[in-house]
Structures are given as C-alpha cells and as structure tokens.
Amino acid sequence: MTTEPASPDTADVTADPRLGARASGPLTGTVRLPGDKSISHRALLFGALAEGRTTIRGLLEGHDVIATADAMRAFGARVERHVDSAGEAIWTVDGVGVGALTEPSETLDFGNSGTGARLVLGIVAGHGIAVRFDGDASLRKRPMGRVLAPLDLMGARVCDSADDRLPLTLRGTRDPIPIEYRLPVPSAQVKSAVLLAGLNSPGLTTVIEPEPTRDHTERMLVHFGARLDISQDPDGARRIVLHGRPRLAGQAVTVPGDPSSAAFPLVAGLIVPGSRVTIGGVMVNPSRAGLITTLQEMGAKLTLANEREDGGEPVADVTVEAGPLKGVEVPAERAPSMIDEYPALAVAAAFAQGTTVMRGLSELKVKESDRLAAVAAGLAVNGVDVRVDGDDLIVVGGSGRVAGGGTVETHMDHRIAMSFLVMGLASETPVLVDDGAMIATSFPDFVPLMRGLGADLGPVSDWPDTAPAGEPGA
C-alpha cells in the first residue's frame, strides 16, 4: 500500500500560535521517539545515490526530512511511503546511482532544513547539473559559505548569490577535483558535503577534522558500500579518505530514536518532581552522546539498558528519574557532540544547584536562530540568572526553583520552543512560547507524546485563565 505522509498535527496552533506549559504532576511511562533527523536525511540521500532499492523504517516524518525526500524525487529517484499490515510506515527509495542525478526543473525548497540544504549542496557539487536552492525566512539567514568554500575548490560554482546565502544556484561539475580539506571549524555538515561531492570524483577525497564531529555520514557510506580509510594524524586530527566513484547498493536502514529529540523528555523527567521516564531505542553514538555525559556529571539519575547496534549505530533504552542536579563546567570540545541539545541543557541548568558554564558555543549563533542569544533571553524572562560571555553561556541555578511566568520569543526555532515548554512543566508559574508551529519541523508528535507522560502543556487557547493574545505571560 502506498500513501502520502500524514501531515503533522498543527491544528492546535493555527488560531493562536502560542503554546504554554505549567507545573505538572510526576511524568511517568515509556515512550519511543521519532527517528533521528540526521540519519533520516542521510538514508534518503544515500538511497537516491545507490543502485537498487533502499528500505527505511522509522524515518522521521517532519517537515525538514520531507523536504529532503522531495528533493530526491526531483533528482530522479523514486521515493515512496508505504504502510505495512501492522500500521508501520516504511519508505522505499529506488536510486539512480552516483553520477546519474537528473537536473531538477524547479527550485528545491528546503523549508527550515539547514542539514538538508547543505548536504544536497555537496551532492550537486559532484554532478554536472545546475540547481536552485531556497528555503524559508529562517533558512535564508543562515550562512552557507563554510560549505561552499571547499565545494568551490572541487569545481562547483555559485551563480547568483553575493553573500553565500539562499536563494542561490549551484552549478556542479561532472568531474569534481579530489581535494584534501582541513576543517577550519568543527562541522559535520561541511565534512559530509565534501565527502558527498567526492563520491563522483575520480580520485581520493580527504577530510581532516582537528576535533571529532558526528560520524553518521562515514558510517552510512560504509553501510552502502563505499570504501573509507579512517586514521589519526600525528597531531591527533582525524583523517577520512574516501575512494571516489564507488558503486553504492541499496540497503535496509532502521532509523534509531533521535537523541536531540530525547533531550526534551529526558530533561523533563529530571526536573519534574517524582518523575520516572524511559525512552526506548535512543541512538547513543559517542559523537552524539554529549548531553547524556553532561547530565550524568550533573548527578542525574540516568541509566542505559538493552544496549545494541542497529544499522551501524549504537542504540539503548534510556531511563531518568527526577532528583537534584548540580552545576558543572561543560568544555568547549564537547560542543560538537551535543550542539542541538544546549537549549534543553540550559533548562536543566536553571533547576540545578550552583553555576553551569557551557563553553565554546559559537556554532549556536548560526543555527535556526541565534540560539545562544535566544536561550539567554528565554531564561532571563523567566527569572533565571544568566549571562553570555563571548561564546560561553553561564547559568546560575535556582536549586530546583524557577519562577517562570514569561513569554519566550522562539525566533521560528523549534528547539527553543520545546526547551522552554519543558521549563514550564516545573516552573512556579506557566511559561509560554510565542509560536509552536515550527516544532513540526523535527518533532511533530511532541505535544501528544509529552501529554501522554502526564505533562500539562498545549495551546494557550485551552487555558481560560491565560492572558489574552498579545499580552505578556499569565
């Protein structure tokens, strides 16, 4: 059976986009999360570049990933969604092979997805086609220069963007030049774009990363049949060498639970008194496990069970219990392993005893919003002692007490919205976010999943005692 993906449930936020959360009873239960967004994007990309059929279970059906699926269709791959007899969604991709993508007739719209846009820039760079890229207002503000710089060295050319931002047209090359590229800053997206461009290169493409970043692209390349040589240079940098023009073959991929999405029920389970929450099948890849490591250092009651491997990625069931947390210093070198989880960590820090210092967060300034500024503003408006010092975020915890009562400006950023809704579940007065619609980009079922655990959150219109639209928080 073939169906179109179900539209994320946004009915609750169409009349009044604000969502709110207020102090809840204990959160309890076992949940499974949406599939990891990074793996979902890559499964579609590699399926399109492979020969034969790729079958994907657990694909995240948020707006960002659907935009990538649409892009792969535009390149000539056949991408379909099926529902099996048990009601599980299964996606299939009949690929066209490396070097055989067709030129889309229309602009590719990536919506809010920086990952999708940047990785597809890499794919296009290694093909002799010209492709117009665009996105929503938020994505148009995000810089693409760090990705475009190495792609230019490989022979790709930007035709019509003065500031390396979307919208832009990239003209790829049929014979990308194999390069050795040392990442100037840690970035899995830049690394991945270079490797994807190098797939159609006649030689060896090498990426050197002085600091490790998430390695999903390398793992999936090997899973689909590419040859990679990975070693360590004398200075400790990681050297990744891709042998060009492999014959990729379609594979079965099971997408594990997204650790970035896991951050929200994990932190909620730690800060709402009496809670005990288990999240099944979460990816615990070391390059993505920074939040778990940090929460454990903060004294969190957090355990991993049923550890296993799925599709080349380590997976476990994670259980948290509410309890006191303490402030810690989070080193800058940990940032790549938890870059999307800092907003949720900042919420946990607000409830901890003592000061938490999160260092080296420059990358947060160029996410869906300036997350560093947005997190600091959201904490401050809810009575938390917080300051930004250069690229460091410093949060003085309230020993389990946060006043709340503020309305947080999300700046169209889904992780800001979800993080501060989690804060509201343990604050003394409700916390509102100005717009919850963007949550659907990564976690369409966030509200019903959290409600299923016992969380009191949802549309402000459901709360008769909440301040009217346009006024400050309740």
Side-chain angles (χ1 to χ4, degrees):
M1 176 182 181
T2 302
T3 66
E4 288 299 313
S7 299
D9 181 9
T10 57
D12 287 344
V13 295
T14 52
D16 182 345
R18 296 179 304 159
L19 296 179
R22 51 190 171 189
S24 301
L27 307 182
T28 58
T30 299
V31 295
R32 294 195 70 86
L33 295 173
D36 180 76
K37 186 161 69 166
S38 295
I39 301 298
S40 295
H41 281 301
R42 286 164 173 80
L44 291 167
L45 297 178
F46 285 111
L49 291 168
E51 298 176 24
R53 173 165 290 187
T54 292
T55 302
I56 309 168
R57 294 179 179 270
L59 187 88
L60 172 64
E61 294 183 348
H63 292 169
D64 286 5
V65 175
I66 299 303
T68 294
D70 289 340
M72 296 307 101
R73 291 188 182 103
F75 288 132
R78 184 176 180 181
V79 183
E80 294 184 335
R81 180 183 188 269
H82 311 267
V83 178
D84 67 12
S85 58
E88 180 184 4
I90 300 171
W91 288 71
T92 59
V93 184
D94 294 310
V96 297
V98 172
L101 301 185
T102 58
E103 184 171 295
S105 59
E106 297 181 351
T107 297
L108 300 185
D109 184 351
F110 287 91
N112 192 243
S113 179
T115 299
R118 289 176 176 137
L119 268 56
V120 175
L121 283 169
I123 291 176
V124 170
H127 288 74
I129 56 178
V131 178
R132 180 82 170 163
F133 288 74
D134 204 354
D136 66 12
S138 173
L139 186 57
R140 286 184 171 193
K141 296 177 182 177
R142 300 178 66 181
M144 299 290 161
R146 284 188 305 189
V147 172
L148 294 171
L151 301 182
D152 181 79
L153 297 175
M154 301 177 81
R157 296 290 180 265
V158 175
C159 301
D160 56 0
S161 176
D163 60 357
D164 288 340
R165 284 176 165 78
L166 304 187
L168 62 80
T169 299
L170 184 70
R171 182 172 293 280
T173 173
R174 293 185 185 280
D175 296 298
I177 301 167
I179 63 170
E180 179 174 296
Y181 189 72
R182 188 179 183 92
L183 295 177
V185 295
S187 173
Q189 292 179 357
V190 176
K191 171 180 66 177
S192 298
V194 174
L195 293 173
L196 287 165
L199 281 172
N200 200 32
S201 166
L204 302 178
T205 297
T206 302
V207 177
I208 302 168
E209 50 178 7
E211 298 179 37
T213 65
R214 56 182 64 179
D215 62 355
H216 306 312
T217 296
E218 297 97 301
R219 288 173 181 264
M220 196 166 287
L221 277 168
V222 172
H223 188 59
F224 275 78
R227 179 181 171 188
L228 286 180
D229 298 326
I230 300 176
S231 60
Q232 191 172 50
D233 284 353
D235 64 357
R238 186 166 176 261
R239 177 178 291 265
I240 306 141
V241 180
L242 169 70
H243 294 250
R245 296 186 173 165
R247 187 171 182 176
L248 303 182
Q251 300 292 329
V253 177
T254 298
V255 181
D258 189 342
S260 298
S261 296
F264 308 111
L266 283 180
V267 170
L270 291 171
I271 65 175
V272 176
S275 297
R276 188 177 192 276
V277 175
T278 297
I279 306 170
V282 179
M283 181 204 297
V284 290
N285 182 319
S287 69
R288 297 284 299 281
L291 178 65
I292 288 176
T293 298
T294 303
L295 291 175
Q296 289 174 326
E297 291 174 352
M298 295 175 77
K301 296 180 180 179
L302 185 154
T303 58
L304 274 63
N306 192 21
E307 297 183 54
R308 56 205 186 270
E309 189 170 288
D310 229 342
E313 294 284 350
V315 176
D317 302 331
V318 183
T319 298
V320 293
E321 295 183 50
L325 302 172
K326 63 182 180 181
V328 297
E329 181 162 324
V330 188
E333 55 266 27
R334 193 175 294 168
S337 69
M338 56 181 297
I339 196 64
D340 287 331
E341 286 84 81
Y342 278 104
L345 175 62
V347 169
F351 288 89
Q353 180 175 3
T355 300
T356 297
V357 181
M358 293 162 258
R359 299 201 180 277
L361 306 187
S362 60
E363 186 70 14
L364 290 187
K365 297 177 181 179
V366 292
K367 301 297 282 184
E368 282 85 334
S369 65
D370 179 346
R371 279 189 184 155
L372 187 55
V375 169
L379 293 173
V381 79
N382 283 287
V384 178
D385 185 354
V386 58
R387 71 181 188 275
V388 175
D389 183 4
D391 293 332
D392 301 339
L393 181 67
I394 302 165
V395 180
V396 180
S399 298
R401 178 186 178 277
V402 168
T407 296
V408 176
E409 293 185 40
T410 61
H411 303 281
M412 298 175 65
D413 191 318
H414 50 127
R415 300 199 192 280
I416 297 298
M418 289 184 280
S419 296
F420 284 99
L421 289 171
V422 167
M423 170 178 274
L425 300 178
S427 297
E428 294 180 351
T429 49
V431 172
L432 308 185
V433 299
D434 65 352
D435 192 344
M438 296 305 293
I439 289 173
T441 66
S442 68
F443 201 160
D445 294 328
F446 170 76
V447 170
L449 181 143
M450 295 300 296
R451 281 175 165 171
L453 292 171
D456 189 356
L457 60 81
V460 169
S461 57
D462 289 352
W463 295 358
D465 55 340
T466 301
E471 294 187 11

